[in-house]
Each structure stands twice: as C-alpha cells, then as structure tokens.
Amino acid sequence: MDSIYNALCDIVGKEYCSNLPEEIYIYSYDLGTAEPKKPDYVVSPRTVEEIQKIVLLARDKNIPLVPLGGGLSLAGLAIPQKGGIVIDLKRMDSIIEVNERARYAVIECGVSQGQLISYLKKHHPNLTHSEPGAPPAATVAGNIIIHGQGDLAHPYGFSSDMVLGLEVVLPSGDIIRIGSCALGSGWFTIHPLPDIGLFLGWCRTTGIITKLSIKLFPAKKIRGTGTFVVEDEELIPEIIYKITHTQIPEDIIVYSRAIPPFAKGLHHITVNLAADSEKELEFKQELIWDDTLGEYIKNDLGGYLGFTKELERPQISKTSDYKKGGGFEYVGGIMPIDTYPQCYIRGREISEKHDIPYTVTARIIGLAHSMMFAWTYAFNRADEETIKKAREALYETDELVIELGGVIWKPGIYGQRLVMDRLHPGTKNLMKKIKTIIDPLGIMNPGNWELL
Amino acid sequence: MFELKFNQDLCYHCNTQACLTKCKFMDIDNATAKNEILKIVRGEDSFVLHECVTCYACEEYCPYGNHPFYLIVERQEALGITPQPLPLVKRAINISIPFRGEPEINEINGPVINLGAFSQLKNKIQGKLFDGLSIISSDERKMFHYFCQLMYLHYGKISLIKERLPNVISTITKHKPAEVICFHDECYGAYTSFCNAYGISVPFRPVHLFEYLFSRLIKLRDLIKPINIKVAYQRPCSSRLCPDKHLYVNRIFELIGAVLVKRQFSDENALCCGLTIQGQKKEGSRKRALEIQRKNIEDIEMAGAEVCVFNCPACFDTLSIKLKERNIIPTFMSDLCRISIGEISFNDIKMSG
Ligand SMILES: Cc1cc2nc3c(=O)[nH]c(=O)nc-3n(C[C@H](O)[C@H](O)[C@H](O)COP(=O)(O)OP(=O)(O)OC[C@H]3O[C@@H](n4cnc5c(N)ncnc54)[C@H](O)[C@@H]3O)c2cc1C
Ligand code: SF4
Ligand code: SF4
C-alpha cells in the first residue's frame, strides 16, 4: 500500500484524496499549450491545520507541493512540473468577514471570483472588488498571487495592491500572518509593519496562502461601458493619457483583433463608468466623450460607439474563443503605455507569421502607470500542429516583451528563463538566499523559477 | 452599377418641398428647401448634406416617392461627406463581412422568414404564428450572408449597398423561397423600396412582418383574448421606406385588443431612437441623441403606456433600459401578438428581459 497516500487520507479523509489515474490526469494539464505533467497525488483540504499537516508530510518525505486555485492562470503555472502533491484549494471557500464601513473582506484562499461577487451583491450591494476577466471559477487568491488585474485596475492598480493581510503556511509548516492581523487587531491594513513582500509574485514557491484580506470599493448603482473607436494606433497612448487625466473611469481596455472583422485594424477603447445617479453618469460621460475625446471625433480620428448600462462581468472570457477548437493562451506583458503601437504592430506580425488571427488586448493599470498588454493565440486542441504554432508564437512574444522594455506577467517556464537571465545580479542573489532560507528542500512548486 | 431613378423634374415643379420642410432636424422654409434640393440634384454641396442625421424620414415625406433620402446619401458619398467619423465608417464596413464560411443552402420551396443580421432573435419567432415557416439566417455565425446592407445609408456609403445587396439577394434566392417574410423593416425596405429605386431585380416576394402577423392572427382569431393594455409603438427609421405597411400597426392592435396610446411622436411625426445620431461627427451629436431619447421616453410615459412595442432590435436596445427604469415593459411586436393568443405572458417578457 502507498504510505503517502494513506497519510494524506488520514489528514483530509479518503474522499478528498486521490491517486487514481483518471483523477490525476485532470490535474496534469491546464487550458493552455504547456506540456501536461501528472502529479502523484491530489488532495483537497478544508482547514489551515490540514494544509499545515500536508506541508509537514511533504517536507518530511521531500515531496513537491503545488497549490491550485481555479487552475485558470494558463502558462502551466499550476502544472506539477516534478510530480508530487497537488493541493486543490477549492474547498477552502469561506467568506469569513466583510467589513462594510472599512471596506474589506477576509476570505479563505479557495473563494472564487463568482462566489465573492454574488455574495457581495446579495449582502453588501454597496461594495465590490476588482474582478478580472477570467471565468468566475478563478479564485480571488490565485489572481492576487500572480499580480493579476481586475476591472478596478485603472484607479486602484494590480489586485495585489489591494491586499490588507495574509495568512500563510510556510514550507517549514509554520503558519504566519502579515499586516494588522498579525497583531490580532483585525484585517484592515497591511501597513505600517515592516514589509514582508514574500508571497505575492513568487509563483507560490514560498508558501501557501490560506487566508487573505482584500480591499473592497464602492459599488455604484449604475455601471456600464462606453466604447470609442480609433484607427491610428499611434494615437492610443495620447488618448489614454487624456482619459486617465479625468480620473473618472473604473476600467479602461483597448482591444483589436482580426475576428470578428469589425475589430480588424481598429482599436476599441472600452471605458467603464459608474455612478449613483443619472446626473452623475451624464457628468462623467460629458467629461470623457465630449470634453476629452470630442476633438478626435471632430477631426475624423475617433468615433463614439455608445454606452451600455448593465455591465456584464467578466467581459474578457466571453470573447476569447473565436477560433475553432476552443484553445487559447496569451502572453501578458506589463508594459509602458507608450509601447502600445509597437505592441500592436509586432503582435500582428507574430500572429500572421504563425497563421493565427491576431487578438490583442490592453488593460490600463493605475492611472496609466502601466498596462497589461495581452497577445492571445488561439489553437485547436485536436490539432497538434496548431498547438505547436501557438507555442512558438508565445515564445516569440515573451522575447518581444523584453525587447520592448516590459516585464513578462506570470511567465511560463520559457519566459521565466528570459527574465532570470536578465535579472539584476544583486536582486537575483537576494531572491536565491530568501528562497533557500524559506524552502531549503525546494519542495514548493519545483520546476518553476528553477534558478531560484 | 445601378443608378438611382430620381425624377428631378418633379422637384422643379414641386410646391411643397416636403422632403426638407418637414425635416425634424433642420428648420427650412420652402424657398430654402427648393434651393437646396435643386443644388443637391445638380450635385452641388448643400448644408443639408452636412446637417442630415440620416433619419430616413424624407423618403416618406416626399409625396411623389422621389427618393430624396437616397439622393442625399448618393451626394454625401460623391462629395466625401460622411455623417459618421471615419473609424466608425471603417468599422461599419467591416462588420458585415462574413467570416465563418459559406451559408448552408437548402431548397425550401415554401415560405421562409429571414432574420437578416438578427439571428440571435430566433426566440422572437416562435409558436403558432410562425408555424410552417422555415427560418433562414438562423446561424449567428453566418448571418451576414443574409444582411440587407441598408444600414450603410447612415454612413454615406450607398455604393456598398449596391455592390453587396445583389449577392445577398442571390443567396436568399438559392433557398428557392416561395415568399420571404422580412423580420426587420429594413430588409423589407431593401427588397422593395431600395431595389425599386435602383432597378435591382428581386426574384422572390418580400413580405413585411406586420402584414404577415396580421394575416396569421386573422387565421388564429379564435385564440385571441383581447390584451386590453395601453401600448405605445416606437416607429423605426427603416419603416419610412415602407410607409404603406405602417397601417398594419393599427390593424394588429385592433385585432388583438391592445390600446394604441396616442403619442405626440407617432406616424409621420415619429422621432427615431437616436442610435445612429449619437456617434455622428457633428458637434453635440451625443447630447442630441440623448435629447431625442428623452423626448421619446417622456412621450411614451405621458401617453400612459404600460408597454412599448418595437420592431427594430436596434431601437429596442437603445430604449429598453430607459423604459424599464420607468416601469414600462419593452417588447417586440411578435411577442405582443403571441401574448394575445395566450402563448406567453407579460410576466414572461419581464422575466426574460
Ligand atoms: C478567459 C480568461 C481571461 C482572463 N482574464 C484575466 C484578467 O482580466 N485579469 C487577470 O489578472 N487574469 C486573467 N486571467 C488569468 C487567470 O485566470 C486569473 O488571474 C485567475 O484569477 C487566476 O486564478 P486561479 O484561481 O485560476 O489561479 P490558479 O491558476 O489556480 O493559480 C495561479 C497560481 O497561483 C498558485 N496558487 C493558487 N492558489 C494558491 C495559494 N492559495 N497559495 C499559493 N499559491 C497558490 C498556483 O500554483 C498557480 O501557480 C484570465 C484567464 C482566462 C482563462
Ligand atoms: S424630393 Fe419630393 S418633396 Fe422633395 S422637392 Fe423633390 S418632389 Fe418635392
Ligand atoms: S434623412 Fe432625416 S434628417 Fe436627413 S434630410 Fe431627410 S428628414 Fe432630414
């Protein structure tokens, strides 16, 4: 009998542990082009204590550990590169506290985007969080851990900028807390204790986040999207600069794609606006469409396509699948806004070279301090040749991000190497030391960020 | 290329110049109107070509059926006057390029209903009223093969209609339809008014949806339970291309016992929904569109309507949220008729949005 399997069953119960080939298979791949790798075990714990015990077991037996949320981050990030135990965190799904007045929520790491949105709608209609365009089954924690961006990224930045407290199980099995919750005084702030920025963006190589507190924001009564269409890509940085100067939108996205044809060669700038009254909404609309963008309309350079109330969330996932076969993966680059024209032109070239209809999308982050520019490549799951083409296109795009002076967001292994090769030696050294102290056996997600 | 049959002599001798004097978007007296329409006839620039918001109404105002609106669009295109900014024109040109392969042609040899570019509205043509009809353009991915193209009248691109419409007609004809019921006024206007004006031959018999609904309701008369509710009708711009079918609104309402409320903006005096105006190049267009929408909504509310009925999906999309905010139920004519024969209820409509 498999003693590790038995030990895991003792921790979480038989029904939440598996080493059956058909179940393990499901955890061996993600939606993208990454090569599948099978784990040896899958467990689904319900408590922090169970997670702690699993970590201690893995440490004692020197077995790799890979935490998994919704598994929707693509790029193979939650694929067990070296086998081991996948910890499926979906059962850690309690919404522990919502503080209406201080506008924050304390949640467990398995709470999904859809769950939080519907909970807030029902119990706290005046509050919302920054929701990414991912399918609703993606977890809030998964998005924060990878420095994702949601539909409030324009005013408030990356999702990870909205963290107010963390509880983490370290690879040693220790449980730690960061932020005001470490003093036992509630989960309302991450500052002003000394900064321990060790768990966000480390691609789960430093610990398993079990609880987190995130900022919530006012949910206005009316939310909707207006669209502005521009042909000349060179105008986009200037237009974005002007729109963000108003400090009014909740979210700004620019997209262009070959299919459907209306979007080809054009840049659709979607601007989400929110208001509590018609008066407030019209004030905001006037400032944006008439006062800020009116000159472009007059000069035949841009066109207002209208405003639709009743925001459909999430928006991006609905339109990602226009090609036969249902597969897609993207490279996201965190880019300076000024690079938009180059990102677009070069992205089109890469797509056309690989015979893939081009799709590019940019989300503006933090008042245009940067943008997440996504180059998406569709492929047919049933056709190995198209997967290969998409993979090649993704690698070329990783290189493009670096060439254009950007930072690859949630890179896969190929992109991770590009980043590591260029990282400041002092920085790399410090990161290595930290990783060695925190995870001396290297059990956390080995294979990813290998050089660490 | 197809040429517009426009009789300029009629304009020389016309006493009313109703095409322009009735225009709701320009304040023009008879003398100016005569002057300007003759300038347009001669191919000269006129402020009308710049001020026109493309509401289609002058097609109906002209008592001689002389197609002043088509002429205006011809001249806008010839002189490079596009009402919409160029990026929106390019977008519009691209929007109806089919991209999902060829349509599947099956020979029907019977009556068909054509959804045109509104395949997503299949649920509006269900039940006994549509029994025995085959649907063409039911596949959202291929609907642009059936799209009548007339929307380019809003974009100063009449040449595109002349270029693409014959292919659409040929696709529909391949289905061997006995008659084609047009779900949208615009399609009907394309295969009747526009094709007549340009001498484009249409080998099938187009039927307006309202005329069809009326004849079906007559047959299903026994099932009708009077609706007895106050209903407003929002007339779309494309209905100006077939004013002879507008009378079916009254006929249908009488038959199903719906009370057609008296609106200020009705019949010839209708106001469009403003959708096409909001993005136009002319300064203040967005506000102008909002103002038109406000007027329409207030008019519908003041008339005491509990329900507002549409035939055009674009008007529906533009006004429905605003109507719901005032507790007025927006719906389609086909659904209103289905309510009268007990197939669905107002509640179903409210629930389905
Ligand atoms: C159609 C589509 C649209 C998308 N749009 C967006 C978008 O607009 N914005 C955006 O930011 N992202 C987007 N994404 C990417 C991604 O889906 C989201 O960021 C998502 O929130 C990731 O969450 P997840 O639960 O799926 O993460 P997972 O893929 O499960 O996990 C992400 C990473 O974190 C690790 N991890 C998960 N949970 C923990 C934990 N508790 N502790 C430690 N490590 C953990 C995993 O090992 C993995 O490496 C999109 C994806 C798709 C498919
Ligand atoms: S188009 Fe008609 S209404 Fe206008 S001037 Fe000519 S004939 Fe008269
Ligand atoms: S289309 Fe409308 S706006 Fe244009 S001239 Fe005719 S009536 Fe006036």
Side-chain angles (χ1 to χ4, degrees), chain B residues 19-20 22-26 48 51-59 61 69 72:
Chain B
C19 57
L20 296 183
K22 285 191 178 179
C23 172
K24 297 175 89 68
F25 297 92
M26 287 171 251
V48 169
E51 293 296 311
C52 170
V53 302
T54 70
C55 79
Y56 291 27
C58 43
E59 276 296 298
Y61 298 152
F69 179 54
I72 287 173

Side-chain angles (χ1 to χ4, degrees), chain B residues 35 115 130 133 229 231 234 271 283 335 337 345:
Chain B
N35 206 20
L115 284 170
F130 299 94
L133 278 188
I229 268 187
V231 185
Q234 176 65 30
L271 252 189
E283 213 170 327
D335 276 350
C337 296
S345 67

Side-chain angles (χ1 to χ4, degrees), chain A residues 67-74 77-78 89 109 113 132-135 138-139 142-143 145-146 148-149 204 207-209 316-317 320 328 330 363 409-410:
Chain A
L68 175 80
L72 290 161
S73 55
L74 308 170
L77 295 182
L89 295 161
C109 59
Q113 301 287 350
T139 61
N143 180 253
I145 286 162
I146 60 173
Q149 324 81 36
R204 65 278 145 205
I208 299 173
I209 292 175
I316 294 175
S317 51
S320 306
F328 89 100
Y330 62 88
R363 171 173 259 146
W409 172 50
K410 62 175 177 74

Side-chain angles (χ1 to χ4, degrees), chain A residues 81-82 205 413 416-417 420 432 435 442 444-452:
Chain A
Q81 297 298 336
K82 309 239 158 133
T205 58
I413 288 174
Q416 290 169 18
R417 288 202 188 110
M420 294 307 292
K432 266 187 195 173
K435 170 74 178 166
M444 288 300 300
N445 208 355
N448 269 291
W449 294 98
E450 195 72 306
L451 292 178
L452 289 177

Side-chain angles (χ1 to χ4, degrees), chain A residues 229-231 259-262 264-266 268 278 282 285-286 289-290 297-298 300-306 309-310 322, chain B residues 82 84-88 90-92 94-95 97-100 275 278-283 286-287 290 321-322 324-325:
Chain A
V229 185
V230 176
E231 180 166 13
I259 300 175
F262 74 78
K264 189 170 179 179
L266 292 172
H268 285 63
E278 290 295 335
E282 180 48 21
Q285 299 233 56
E286 193 176 326
W289 313 120
D290 305 344
I297 300 175
K298 199 164 83 195
D300 254 335
L301 297 170
Y304 169 66
L305 199 62
K309 281 189 198 170
E310 293 182 354
Y322 271 111
Chain B
T82 42
Q84 306 278 348
L86 290 178
L88 293 192
K90 180 166 179 183
R91 184 182 191 277
N94 287 354
I95 207 165
I97 297 173
F99 66 99
R100 287 278 199 163
L275 176 65
Q278 66 181 8
Q280 286 175 348
K281 219 160 36 185
K282 205 151 24 94
E283 213 170 327
R286 191 187 65 83
K287 289 232 177 233
L290 286 179
I321 293 181
K322 289 179 204 266
K324 282 189 224 161
E325 283 166 359

Side-chain angles (χ1 to χ4, degrees), chain A residues 331-336 371 398 401-402 404-411 419:
Chain A
V331 167
I334 305 303
M335 312 296 295
M371 64 180 167
D398 279 342
V401 173
I402 305 272
L404 295 179
V407 183
I408 309 174
W409 172 50
K410 62 175 177 74
V419 173

Side-chain angles (χ1 to χ4, degrees), chain A residues 169-183:
Chain A
V169 178
L170 299 181
S172 61
D174 295 327
I175 298 176
I176 63 150
R177 286 190 170 185
I178 296 178
S180 51
C181 63
L183 289 177

